[in-house]
Amino acid sequence: MENKLKVKLKYLTRLNDDKIDFILNEIKDLDQPLYFLANILHETIYLSTFEENLNYKNVERLKAVYPSFFKGKSNEYISLFLQNPKALGDLVYGGRYGNGNGEGYKYRGRGALMTTFKANYIDFDKKTGYKFNVTQNPDVLLNFDIAIKSAVIFYKGISDKSSLYSVRKAINNGFAFEQVKFIYNQLIA
């Protein structure tokens, strides 16, 4: 299975063998590693980016992705957040889960599972003995190896891995499940 998976990952991601071997080594002891892979491939656009894109260009897309923040708001108001990643990050992530006001953008999604919120950055630091100091240096999660390690650590903490949907729900409240399922089906084909 590992050799077949390596070939599929190479095809899907265009990564070199060393990086694919690193991923396969990191996930070898995980329950349901294909659930994990499908989610990280989705979150990172097939491992091409480890940073959440908050640079939206379309009002309707903002409404679709962040409905609770823009429901009932005028298009004029919503347009204030178009191509304004800092303002959008501070709006949707500020003042929640350990983030102070104005810290939403700083603790936006990074890493292979888009670690978001200061509380989760602190949690990763604690679980790694502050080896990477991501709370003080969030961009460290843009490093390939650390991005993968952060995702593995988070994934190991998900108690219910009984279905692809339950994993997706724990990672991103079920958002984009159909896309993750599509990727999963590519991996098992």
Side-chain angles (χ1 to χ4, degrees):
M1 165 90 168
E2 184 174 314
N3 202 26
K4 183 178 176 184
L5 184 56
K6 185 174 181 175
V7 170
K8 286 185 183 197
L9 283 174
K10 189 166 187 141
Y11 171 76
L12 291 171
T13 65
R14 308 287 193 245
L15 292 176
N16 66 40
D17 285 342
D18 289 343
K19 294 216 183 282
I20 291 173
D21 288 341
F22 177 81
I23 292 170
L24 293 175
N25 185 56
E26 287 292 311
I27 68 170
K28 70 180 183 269
D29 296 327
L30 293 182
D31 292 333
Q32 302 294 345
L34 295 182
Y35 292 175
F36 172 82
L37 286 173
N39 276 281
I40 68 167
L41 291 173
H42 168 74
E43 291 292 330
T44 62
I45 310 168
Y46 292 89
L47 299 172
S48 66
T49 184
F50 293 108
E51 183 174 23
E52 180 178 13
N53 179 6
L54 293 172
N55 192 23
Y56 289 84
K57 298 176 183 174
N58 180 293
V59 167
E60 294 308 314
R61 184 69 183 146
L62 271 176
K63 288 179 182 178
V65 174
Y66 302 105
S68 62
F69 291 95
F70 295 118
K71 185 177 182 178
K73 304 290 185 189
S74 71
N75 285 352
E76 182 180 0
Y77 170 77
I78 297 169
S79 69
L80 296 173
F81 300 94
L82 295 176
Q83 296 185 305
N84 192 348
K86 180 165 180 6
L88 181 60
D90 287 344
L91 173 72
V92 300
Y93 300 136
R96 300 170 54 207
Y97 300 101
N99 287 355
N101 290 327
E103 286 188 322
Y105 181 74
K106 181 177 182 179
Y107 296 107
R108 66 192 176 279
R110 290 186 188 85
L113 282 177
M114 297 298 151
T115 301
T116 310
F117 299 113
K118 188 175 188 176
N120 291 324
Y121 281 72
I122 291 169
D123 188 54
F124 176 69
D125 274 336
K126 287 178 182 175
K127 288 177 178 173
T128 59
Y130 295 88
K131 180 178 178 182
F132 305 109
N133 199 17
V134 299
T135 306
Q136 296 302 314
N137 239 335
D139 284 342
V140 169
L141 282 175
L142 301 178
N143 171 282
F144 183 88
D145 293 2
I146 298 169
I148 299 298
K149 285 183 184 299
S150 70
V152 168
I153 287 170
F154 176 81
Y155 186 81
K156 285 179 178 178
I158 299 171
S159 59
D160 179 12
K161 298 181 193 92
S162 61
S163 71
L164 181 60
Y165 183 76
S166 68
V167 169
R168 188 67 195 151
K169 184 97 171 131
I171 290 170
N172 201 347
N173 204 28
F175 183 76
F177 174 69
E178 290 302 318
Q179 291 94 326
V180 172
K181 185 177 172 185
F182 175 81
I183 295 168
Y184 175 76
N185 287 332
Q186 287 181 303
L187 292 170
I188 63 171

